[in-house]
Amino acid sequence: MKKFLGILILGLLWCNFSFSKSMMSLNQYILKNDNWTKDPISLVYVFKRCGAAYFYASAITSKDAKVKKKLENTSDLALKFAHEVLMEQKNIKSTEASEIIDNALDNMILKYSQDGNDYYASTGNYTSNNYIEKDLSLCKGIIEAVYNN
């Protein structure tokens, strides 16, 4: 019996049934950084994440060209805002700001993609009922607040 339990526990550890996520949700990040709107680095991080989330959403959207284009445009708006914050509040040159954003964007998209693929493998869905969906929802409100004022 002890041998069976040992094998069962090792098997569960080895198979890892949990679908871990690479990044904490933006909701959690904002809760931990309650002054994120006043800190340029946190502000840039949130908008880079929003840009990455929308870019990822556009990449997995293949059926509707209008929806795909809207997601790409929203990603561009978020990244443009992050770029402007870096230039204006951190006095970084445009080329350097672009490089910072591009490097972070590649990493964030990779993490969204890995988590989305893992979630798809277990549920058949990329962004429903997970942190990616929550990020997209939060980002929608944040981007609308910035560009509709």
Side-chain angles (χ1 to χ4, degrees):
M1 185 66 168
K2 286 182 183 180
K3 189 174 184 179
F4 173 74
L5 287 174
I7 292 171
L8 179 64
I9 291 171
L10 283 175
L12 289 174
L13 290 173
W14 180 68
C15 291
N16 192 5
F17 287 107
S18 70
F19 295 99
S20 62
K21 53 187 182 181
S22 301
M23 298 182 284
M24 76 169 65
S25 73
L26 277 175
N27 287 325
Q28 290 173 317
Y29 179 82
I30 287 172
L31 287 174
K32 287 185 177 186
N33 297 284
D34 55 350
N35 284 336
W36 70 276
T37 58
K38 294 177 177 68
D39 175 23
I41 299 302
S42 294
L43 189 61
V44 167
Y45 175 77
V46 168
F47 277 86
K48 287 188 295 189
R49 280 282 299 271
C50 288
Y54 272 97
F55 187 89
Y56 172 69
S58 75
I60 61 172
T61 303
S62 60
K63 294 180 182 178
D64 189 339
K66 285 184 180 181
V67 171
K68 186 176 187 76
K69 188 65 176 167
K70 185 175 182 179
L71 293 167
E72 289 171 357
N73 289 341
T74 305
S75 174
D76 289 344
L77 287 174
L79 298 172
K80 178 183 171 192
F81 186 81
H83 187 270
E84 290 172 2
V85 170
L86 284 173
M87 287 183 3
E88 293 171 11
Q89 294 186 25
K90 297 302 285 178
N91 296 322
I92 295 176
K93 294 179 183 175
S94 179
T95 54
E96 188 180 347
S98 295
E99 187 175 317
I100 289 168
I101 289 170
D102 288 345
N103 290 339
L105 186 65
D106 290 343
N107 189 33
M108 289 174 181
I109 291 170
L110 179 64
K111 289 178 179 180
Y112 276 124
S113 180
Q114 289 170 342
D115 291 345
N117 288 339
D118 288 347
Y119 194 73
Y120 183 83
S122 69
T123 66
N125 213 318
Y126 289 100
T127 62
S128 291
N129 299 319
N130 62 15
Y131 85 98
I132 301 170
E133 179 183 50
K134 291 176 185 171
D135 284 2
L136 288 166
S137 178
L138 178 68
C139 289
K140 181 178 188 256
I142 291 171
I143 292 168
E144 285 177 354
V146 167
Y147 286 100
N148 290 333
N149 285 333

